[in-house]
Each structure stands twice: as structure tokens, then as C-alpha cells.
Amino acid sequence: MKKVIAAIDGLRYSTSTVEHALYITGQENVHLVGVFLDDITYRSYELSELVVDSEVSEQKIRELSDKDRRTRDRSIQQFELACQQARINYSVHDNRDIAIEALVHESIFADLVIIDTHESFDRVRGKAPSRFIQHLLADAACPLLLVPRVFRDITKIVMLYDGTPASVYAIRMLDCTLPTLKSLPVEVLTVKSPMSSLHLPDGRLMKEFMKRHYPHAVYTVQRGFPPEEIVASLKREQPGVMAVAGSYSRNKLSRWFYPGMADILIQELEIPLFVAHTA
């Protein structure tokens, strides 16, 4: 039985994260862990709200802190109810450390982390990806499934392949982590520079590899600037597509997925993104 983490902000409960997690657990032999990241530095209120008559009010601190605690408690209850109704194995970790450090540590002992692409664990939300998500992409010890705000059943997988070990590793990890998805239509998408041939990089070896993992995959090789062509291709897909990428490698960086490429996918697309990188 695999262990999958649903990383949840108790102050901003992500229904999409839980729906994607239940969708995955409904198809796989999985134990789901709801990790509620109660960051000690993160509150729903501004510090100015604590000031009464030019002084910090102890009563206000208690009132607003209690309100946040009740909100977090309701989020845990909502998660537990959803799991019970779905009749899945689950547990809850209510973590009160620094959010990013806690989740990276939890990822060491997990097979997959599911998280909303818009999570920031900050009262003020900016454009996705947040600094929190960028750090998680770089440091997570297991694959990530970054999910959009709205849940849809996954109906097709597009694997972004550029001939590098990172892109092949991500495909391997998807098969290991979520093997039931191999029944879906699979496309291997490669974008090469305008002057390059349209041959699949290491075509013989790649197709031999894919035959053992996704034997019915189809291959698309295009010319152009990878970030633009990838985004354009994925935007043409029907709702329900999921992309697979090798990203944020800490040693050799893929010529596609240097820090910035995964950011572009998150910024431009509202689709699930499965990301895995080698150590």
C-alpha cells in the first residue's frame, strides 16, 4: 500500500486537493495522509487588527487566534468526513512547524504529495507559483502532483520528453506511483529547436522503454521554442489532460526544465502536473 500526502492549508481548505486525492486513492491501493500545515508564522489576520486604542490587545490576540484554530479544526473535520464517505484508509498529521520544512520532511516518507498549485501558506496570495511551491518543487523527496483549483477526472496523459534523464525518470516514477493511469491515452511530446530534425531523441531506446511501461503511447515531435510550444499544445487539449515533467533537478538541469519552465506551466495552465526529479 502506497502512502500519498494531501498537503492542505487549514485556513484555506482546498477542495480540489482533496478531490484529486480521493480520485487517486479510489484507483490505487493507497493510504491517504492529510497533512495540515499549521505554520507558526501564518495567520489569517493582519497584525494591525490586534491594536486597540493604540495598544496590542491581549483579548484580540485570543479572539483571532481562537478563530483561526476553529477554522483549522473545521478543515480537518471536512477532510475526515470526505475520506469516511469515500471509505478510504486515511490519517491526519496536524503539523505546527514551518510549513515548507515540515512538508519537505514528510515527503521523505511518502510516495506522492498532492497539493494545490496556488498554495502559498501566506495571508497574501500572489501569482502562482508561490515561493512555497517553488521551494517544494526543488526540495521534495518524492514526486508531486500539482493540481488546479477545479477538479476534473484525468482522461489523458501528456509526457514531456526532451531526451534527458530527468524526463525519463518522471515517466518511470509515474508508472511506479500511479500504475492504474497507464490505461489512459498517453502522448509523448517532444519540442526541438527549429533547425533540428524531427527524430525522437534516442528514439530506439525510448520506444523500447515505453513499450514496457506505456505500450500504446503515441509520439509527437515538433519544432519551436519549447516553453511556447508546450504551453500551446497543452492548451489545445480537451479538459482532463495531465502533464508529466522532470523538473528542478538539483544537479544537471534539463535544457527544458531549468527553474522557470515548470513555473511557466503552472502560470499558463490549469491542469494537473506530475513532477519528479532525481536527487
Side-chain angles (χ1 to χ4, degrees), residues 173-194:
M173 290 308 298
L174 178 68
D175 192 14
C176 292
T177 308
L178 303 174
T180 60
L181 295 185
K182 68 192 327 170
S183 63
L184 298 176
V186 172
E187 178 182 0
V188 176
L189 174 62
T190 300
V191 178
K192 304 177 74 174
S193 65

Side-chain angles (χ1 to χ4, degrees), residues 11 31 34 101 119 195 222 232:
L11 294 179
H31 179 81
E101 294 178 3
E119 291 291 15
M195 301 303 293
Q222 301 174 351

Side-chain angles (χ1 to χ4, degrees), residues 52-113:
V52 177
D53 297 329
S54 301
E55 294 182 355
V56 174
S57 168
E58 293 293 335
Q59 181 178 350
K60 273 290 186 182
I61 293 175
R62 287 193 298 271
E63 289 176 357
L64 294 174
S65 296
D66 286 347
K67 181 181 177 182
D68 278 1
R69 178 181 52 78
R70 291 192 299 271
T71 300
R72 288 184 167 113
D73 288 346
R74 284 195 300 271
S75 293
I76 292 174
Q77 292 167 5
Q78 189 173 350
F79 171 78
E80 291 182 323
L81 179 60
C83 292
Q84 290 164 7
Q85 290 176 339
R87 297 183 178 181
I88 64 165
N89 294 298
Y90 76 94
S91 56
V92 171
H93 295 178
D94 188 5
N95 202 305
R96 301 179 186 276
D97 296 323
I98 301 298
I100 186 60
E101 294 178 3
L103 187 53
V104 167
H105 185 71
E106 290 260 8
S107 75
I108 298 170
F109 306 97
D111 297 289
L112 178 69
V113 171

Side-chain angles (χ1 to χ4, degrees), residues 120-236:
S120 64
F121 294 92
D122 194 313
R123 190 182 59 80
V124 179
R125 282 191 171 182
K127 292 183 178 180
S130 64
R131 187 180 298 273
F132 181 92
I133 292 295
Q134 290 175 323
H135 285 181
L136 184 62
L137 280 164
D139 296 330
C142 71
L144 305 175
L145 180 60
L146 302 161
V147 300
R149 288 183 173 131
V150 177
F151 168 77
R152 292 186 177 90
D153 287 351
I154 298 171
T155 57
K156 180 181 177 180
I157 300 172
V158 175
M159 299 174 169
L160 308 179
Y161 169 65
D162 63 351
T164 61
S167 60
V168 177
Y169 179 79
I171 295 169
R172 182 184 300 116
M173 290 308 298
L174 178 68
D175 192 14
C176 292
T177 308
L178 303 174
T180 60
L181 295 185
K182 68 192 327 170
S183 63
L184 298 176
V186 172
E187 178 182 0
V188 176
L189 174 62
T190 300
V191 178
K192 304 177 74 174
S193 65
M195 301 303 293
S196 300
S197 72
L198 289 177
H199 294 298
L200 187 73
D202 282 319
R204 180 180 61 82
L205 292 173
M206 180 59 177
K207 289 183 178 180
E208 185 177 72
F209 170 80
M210 290 294 294
K211 186 177 180 180
R212 273 72 187 174
H213 292 271
Y214 298 92
H216 303 296
V218 297
Y219 299 85
T220 301
V221 182
Q222 301 174 351
R223 292 191 183 99
F225 181 54
E228 293 179 359
E229 291 298 325
I230 292 169
V231 169
S233 293
L234 290 171
K235 282 185 174 180
R236 289 192 293 267

